[in-house]
Amino acid sequence: TIQTTTMKNPIFDIDNWKEITATLARNKIRTFLTAFGIFWGTAMLAMLWGGAQGMQRMLRGQFEGFATNSAIIASNRTSMPYKGYKKGMYWSLTQTDIDNIRHSVSDIKAMSAVSNRSASLHYGTKSYEASVQGVESAFPEIFTPVIYSGRFINEADERDSKKVCCIGKRVAGELFGSTDPLGKFIEVNNIYYRVVGVVGQESEVQINGDVDNMITIPLSTMRKAYNLGTRVDMALLDVKSGHTPAELQPQIERIIRLSHPIHPDDKRAIMYMDISEEFDMIDKMFTGVDVLVLFVGFGSLLAGIIGVGNIMWIIVKERTQEIGIRRAIGAKPRDIIMQVLSESIVLTVIAGIAGICFASGILAIAEMITPPINEEPLPFQLTFYSAIIILVVFLTLGTAAGTIPAIKAMRIKPIEALNDK
């Protein structure tokens, strides 16, 4: 049946909606395939968007708790003879080196020497093999531990060489079970330490081992307990904002060389690992992932929108005579445009919402089956804001795709339409 009334408000016009439904149902296979193109394009864009957010959170979680603008300094064998010492000599980083660097390089935000040894732990009848690390009070400013209970090593512990320790979460479970370890004394290589904290780590980065599986004591205490003298295994440093570890490397190495027989041109004797470069690499990778998501998502989106434009063009061609009769009996051009655009918008909205719902379901499943990081689920989900953006983009482009066929329909002359076969 041909409508003869002028559409004043197509949104609330029941007859208009009936006609849209009838038009789209006239060729079910064609409508389904077009709608599926929109559905799949929306779903792909939504899944890529939500999936990329989850993957980025997963990768960033590997480095959480570790200062991004940091570096590690350690000693290595020399590669050049110098001052009577042969090539291949091994030297040791010392606390004097650390203090000299700390006092001479003003752009260092925090710095801590670290030493590590194996340990045999005992509490009552239980024993456990782990590692013991000695750190300075600035250590948590560079490698932030997760504190489950109690506290971490502080400046007073380091200054007074107190026999206190923080035990890793796994160590606490092995030695104490469900008992609260705070205030208890554990034996570490025949020396007793009072437990002041239970700690763990957020990141997957390990400094001489996993904090969950070791105990941490003041470095000054460790020197006396293990007769280390002034030797340290390594140093961690965090650089102030506006500077990079690479900028400070020449000055730091020069200070170290003053106290050790290391040739000025020996590049291997001092191990200097710039952690900030690793973070820059990861940031660039995230940027690449975002660009890939946009490229693939836009390609899927474009394929669906082209399908909408094609079906609207075919519908206008099939209804040429009907549109001509409408024009002959007084239908205004805007009525013809709104009719064609309404069909395009309805198809885009229904298929787009279905695609977003499908993608949300897939992302929810991915979130459930992916192991959480630090007891927090990964955000494999679309935010409401993101879903609205995707839907609005599809709706805008879907409307644009139907605009050209709608304008063609408006320009159809009644005489030419009635003679069309």
Side-chain angles (χ1 to χ4, degrees):
T1 303
I2 298 173
Q3 295 288 103
T4 58
T5 59
T6 300
M7 294 179 291
K8 296 181 179 179
N9 195 334
I11 297 177
F12 300 103
D13 192 328
I14 296 177
D15 292 332
N16 184 47
W17 285 104
K18 288 181 178 179
E19 186 170 357
I20 291 172
T21 304
T23 302
L24 295 177
R26 204 171 287 166
N27 192 322
K28 295 182 177 61
I29 295 178
R30 183 177 64 198
T31 301
F32 170 79
L33 292 177
T34 304
F36 183 78
I38 302 170
F39 164 85
W40 189 246
T42 312
M44 281 290 292
L45 182 57
M47 285 189 289
L48 287 170
W49 195 331
Q53 297 300 315
M55 289 300 296
Q56 289 188 17
R57 175 66 181 86
M58 182 186 297
L59 292 174
R60 289 187 186 279
Q62 308 298 313
F63 298 92
E64 277 192 1
F66 200 93
T68 58
N69 200 26
S70 60
I72 300 175
I73 308 170
S75 58
N76 199 5
R77 292 186 182 276
T78 60
S79 61
M80 300 175 67
Y82 188 60
K83 291 185 177 180
Y85 291 92
K86 294 181 179 180
K87 170 185 175 181
M89 179 197 72
Y90 188 81
W91 62 281
S92 295
L93 197 66
T94 67
Q95 186 64 44
T96 302
D97 296 325
I98 307 304
D99 293 338
N100 288 339
I101 294 170
R102 187 183 286 124
H103 295 148
S104 301
V105 185
S106 60
D107 294 324
I108 292 179
K109 181 180 179 182
M111 189 173 186
S112 172
V114 179
S115 287
N116 187 277
R117 295 292 184 274
S118 59
S120 179
L121 315 180
H122 300 276
Y123 176 76
T125 59
K126 296 182 179 180
S127 61
Y128 189 68
E129 296 296 323
S131 296
V132 55
Q133 71 170 353
V135 302
E136 295 182 288
S137 58
F139 180 83
E141 298 180 46
I142 307 164
F143 192 83
T144 306
V146 178
I147 300 178
Y148 297 104
S149 61
R151 62 174 178 82
F152 198 70
I153 303 300
N154 59 32
E155 188 175 351
D157 298 331
E158 171 70 13
R159 183 186 61 246
D160 299 333
S161 301
K162 293 182 179 180
K163 292 181 180 179
V164 296
C165 69
C166 295
I167 61 176
K169 186 178 181 181
R170 191 174 301 118
V171 175
E174 292 290 337
L175 294 181
F176 296 94
S178 58
T179 304
D180 184 6
L182 294 183
K184 305 289 193 306
F185 286 85
I186 63 173
E187 182 185 347
V188 183
N189 292 344
N190 301 317
I191 299 176
Y192 285 89
Y193 297 85
R194 182 167 60 89
V195 178
V196 295
V198 179
V199 299
Q201 66 180 59
E202 293 180 332
S203 74
E204 295 297 321
V205 177
Q206 296 187 4
I207 306 298
N208 286 328
D210 187 349
V211 173
D212 289 52
N213 199 40
M214 64 171 55
I215 73 167
T216 304
I217 64 176
L219 182 58
S220 59
T221 305
M222 188 174 190
R223 284 202 195 93
K224 296 177 180 179
Y226 290 88
N227 194 26
L228 299 179
T230 62
R231 289 179 296 137
V232 297
D233 291 345
M234 65 174 65
L236 307 180
L237 62 90
D238 185 25
V239 179
K240 292 180 180 179
S241 178
H243 301 275
T244 65
E247 293 176 11
L248 306 185
Q249 182 176 356
Q251 185 179 359
I252 290 173
E253 290 186 348
R254 186 166 55 252
I255 293 171
I256 294 174
R257 292 177 198 276
L258 291 175
S259 303
H260 300 276
I262 302 173
H263 195 285
D265 297 327
D266 192 342
K267 303 299 182 183
R268 294 177 55 187
I270 302 173
M271 190 188 79
Y272 191 92
M273 184 182 298
D274 187 348
I275 305 297
S276 67
E277 292 180 353
E278 304 297 325
F279 284 99
D280 288 341
M281 187 183 304
I282 291 172
D283 287 337
K284 290 177 182 177
M285 183 178 67
F286 288 157
T287 301
V289 169
D290 289 337
V291 171
L292 180 62
V293 166
L294 289 176
F295 180 77
V296 176
F298 183 77
S300 301
L301 181 151
L302 190 61
I305 295 306
I306 290 174
V308 173
N310 286 339
I311 192 174
M312 290 299 104
W313 195 273
I314 293 171
I315 288 174
V316 169
K317 182 66 177 177
E318 291 177 346
R319 299 171 64 190
T320 299
Q321 286 189 335
E322 176 188 336
I323 292 171
I325 294 173
R326 283 173 180 263
R327 294 295 308 280
I329 61 178
K332 296 180 180 179
R334 70 178 181 86
D335 297 331
I336 302 299
I337 292 177
M338 285 303 300
Q339 180 66 33
V340 176
L341 287 181
S342 296
E343 294 165 5
S344 172
I345 292 170
V346 167
L347 195 62
T348 302
V349 169
I350 294 175
I353 292 176
I356 290 174
C357 292
F358 175 79
S360 298
I362 297 297
L363 291 171
I365 294 173
E367 185 175 297
M368 287 189 294
I369 65 177
T370 304
I373 291 181
N374 301 322
E375 300 180 356
E376 293 184 5
L378 295 175
F380 281 105
Q381 274 296 348
L382 275 180
T383 62
F384 179 76
Y385 178 72
S386 299
I388 292 298
I389 288 177
I390 293 173
L391 188 59
V392 168
V393 169
F394 255 90
L395 184 59
T396 302
L397 294 179
T399 303
T403 299
I404 296 177
I407 293 174
K408 177 177 174 57
M410 178 195 69
R411 291 176 177 175
I412 295 176
K413 296 180 180 180
I415 299 297
E416 294 177 357
L418 294 175
N419 292 329
D420 184 75
K421 295 182 180 180

